[in-house]
Amino acid sequence: MPEKNPLRKLSPDELGRLSVEAYRAAPKLPLRLLLDNVRSRYNVGSLLRSADAFRVEKVYLSGYTPAPPHPEIHRSALGAEESVDWEACPDPLPLVEELRRTGWKVISLEHTTQSISLWDMEWLPPPWLLILGNELIGVQDALLAQSDMIVEIPQFGTKHSLNVAVAGGIILHEAVRRLMK
Amino acid sequence: MPEKNPLRKLSPDELGRLSVEAYRAAPKLPLRLLLDNVRSRYNVGSLLRSADAFRVEKVYLSGYTPAPPHPEIHRSALGAEESVDWEACPDPLPLVEELRRTGWKVISLEHTTQSISLWDMEWLPPPWLLILGNELIGVQDALLAQSDMIVEIPQFGTKHSLNVAVAGGIILHEAVRRLMK
């Protein structure tokens, strides 16, 4: 490693992270997340934590996706449920239709006959609504039918898919890199 | 969406995932993962699941990182602890020194005075050992000092960092895309 900066970990102050108040006032990316029928509070909390890191404008929690406040969500969100703008919405279909009418592009993460690899996809012009579905059965068919694009992460193993919080983190990271570069 | 392929989810058979036996015999990528002092069994299981998806050659579990078999690891690994080659190694330093001597490049994920953004880094020639550390205090200094490169994922929120399984998934995905393209 180069010698000029002695190697040490950065303190929380040096990382320049925002306070909750500053975060709520700060500009967000044209990127929202819809978690539909995600069962695990751990996954919801972890996705809220990723949404905080990546300046997601809003997170919708639809169907039976658990919403804050809850100790298990808090434990994996580490408090990101306070900084991230989220909304519980029992039925996601009218929401998705309304967002599409106002120019949002709907991108679902799922293995289908029409899925495009995350490595090959051409991102549509933003704003983007990313949809993640249930841990076992994935994104429901009615939401797939409303999607402008369905994406899959290339995988080469024995399991059906990645954990939904990990897969969501990968696609969020990719989306944010596109938006910020 | 185009009309020619009627939209439907793919069945597990159509995904072409490997059996455990076929996976163990299949070629792997020149990519190993070292989990040092990762505390949570949930995170270890989730990282084993990602290692399976991304054909990681081997996962080392060092320090007090819990090892399989354990019901909590099994629950988040979904059995990937059977397909992925893993090894418990109490002290990671001799291992890392030996891998470096035999040509492995050591890449740690940490916020330091010498970290390079994942968005800007120039990947060294493989093979790569990726190091992830403890959920709270990160990668230990002795391993940082042995790293050829220290990488950070750009983040813009209120929290110190992403969940370690999510961050690990993001860097693994990026490494695998580089190796396979």
Side-chain angles (χ1 to χ4, degrees):
Chain A
M1 310 288 300
E3 289 303 321
K4 45 192 169 183
N5 276 328
L7 174 59
R8 61 174 176 78
K9 286 180 218 180
L10 295 178
S11 70
D13 273 359
E14 288 175 301
L15 284 172
R17 299 290 187 248
L18 301 180
S19 69
V20 169
E21 297 67 32
Y23 186 90
R24 295 194 68 87
K28 304 300 182 304
L29 295 173
L31 176 62
R32 298 185 184 185
L33 188 60
L34 170 59
L35 309 182
D36 185 55
N37 293 337
V38 172
R39 181 171 294 279
S40 147
R41 293 191 180 90
Y42 184 97
N43 286 332
V44 171
S46 182
L47 285 161
L48 287 169
R49 182 173 172 185
S50 297
D52 170 274
F54 291 138
R55 291 276 183 107
V56 168
E57 192 176 76
K58 187 163 194 164
V59 179
Y60 301 101
L61 308 170
S62 69
Y64 53 71
T65 302
H70 192 285
E72 274 181 35
I73 294 176
H74 181 77
R75 207 174 309 137
S76 55
L78 292 184
E81 72 276 23
E82 303 295 330
S83 53
V84 173
D85 187 20
W86 60 265
E87 181 182 328
C89 80
D91 182 359
L93 283 168
L95 165 76
V96 169
E97 282 163 17
E98 176 59 20
L99 286 173
R100 291 188 86 190
R101 253 197 308 274
T102 54
W104 287 74
K105 299 300 176 192
V106 176
I107 303 173
S108 289
L109 191 64
E110 188 55 80
H111 302 287
T112 73
T113 47
Q114 295 183 0
S115 295
I116 296 168
S117 162
L118 182 61
W119 297 356
D120 302 323
M121 70 183 278
E122 306 267 346
W123 289 77
L124 301 165
W128 299 324
L129 176 71
L130 300 180
I131 302 184
L132 303 176
N134 174 263
E135 287 87 343
L136 283 179
I137 60 172
V139 177
Q140 58 167 297
D141 291 342
L143 289 176
L144 291 177
Q146 288 290 320
S147 299
D148 297 291
M149 184 171 265
I150 306 174
V151 180
E152 62 188 358
I153 299 170
Q155 288 161 65
F156 313 96
T158 65
K159 303 293 124 199
H160 177 272
S161 63
L162 294 163
N163 166 269
V164 67
V166 173
I170 290 171
I171 192 169
L172 276 179
H173 170 260
E174 194 66 26
V176 168
R177 174 158 56 180
R178 302 263 163 174
L179 290 171
M180 296 193 66
K181 278 215 144 174
Chain B
M1 311 290 303
E3 289 301 322
K4 43 192 170 182
N5 275 331
L7 175 58
R8 61 173 176 78
K9 285 182 219 177
L10 296 179
S11 69
D13 273 358
E14 288 174 301
L15 284 172
R17 299 289 187 248
L18 300 180
S19 68
V20 170
E21 295 68 32
Y23 186 89
R24 294 195 68 89
K28 304 300 183 304
L29 294 173
L31 177 62
R32 298 185 185 185
L33 189 59
L34 171 58
L35 309 181
D36 184 55
N37 293 338
V38 172
R39 181 170 294 280
S40 146
R41 292 190 181 91
Y42 184 96
N43 286 332
V44 170
S46 182
L47 285 161
L48 286 169
R49 183 173 171 185
S50 297
D52 170 275
F54 291 138
R55 292 277 183 108
V56 168
E57 193 177 75
K58 188 161 192 166
V59 178
Y60 300 101
L61 310 170
S62 67
Y64 53 71
T65 302
H70 191 286
E72 275 180 35
I73 294 177
H74 181 76
R75 207 175 309 136
S76 55
L78 293 183
E81 74 274 24
E82 301 295 330
S83 54
V84 172
D85 188 18
W86 59 266
E87 182 181 326
C89 78
D91 181 0
L93 283 168
L95 167 75
V96 168
E97 282 163 18
E98 175 59 21
L99 286 173
R100 291 188 88 190
R101 252 197 309 275
T102 55
W104 287 75
K105 299 301 176 193
V106 175
I107 303 173
S108 288
L109 191 64
E110 188 55 79
H111 304 287
T112 74
T113 48
Q114 296 183 358
S115 295
I116 297 168
S117 161
L118 182 61
W119 297 356
D120 302 322
M121 70 184 278
E122 305 266 347
W123 289 78
L124 301 164
W128 299 324
L129 176 72
L130 300 179
I131 302 184
L132 303 175
N134 175 263
E135 287 87 344
L136 285 179
I137 60 171
V139 177
Q140 57 167 295
D141 291 343
L143 289 176
L144 292 176
Q146 288 290 319
S147 299
D148 297 290
M149 182 170 267
I150 306 174
V151 180
E152 62 189 359
I153 300 171
Q155 289 162 64
F156 314 96
T158 66
K159 303 293 125 199
H160 177 274
S161 63
L162 295 163
N163 166 270
V164 66
V166 172
I170 289 171
I171 192 170
L172 275 180
H173 170 259
E174 195 64 27
V176 168
R177 175 159 53 181
R178 302 262 163 174
L179 291 171
M180 296 194 65
K181 276 213 145 171

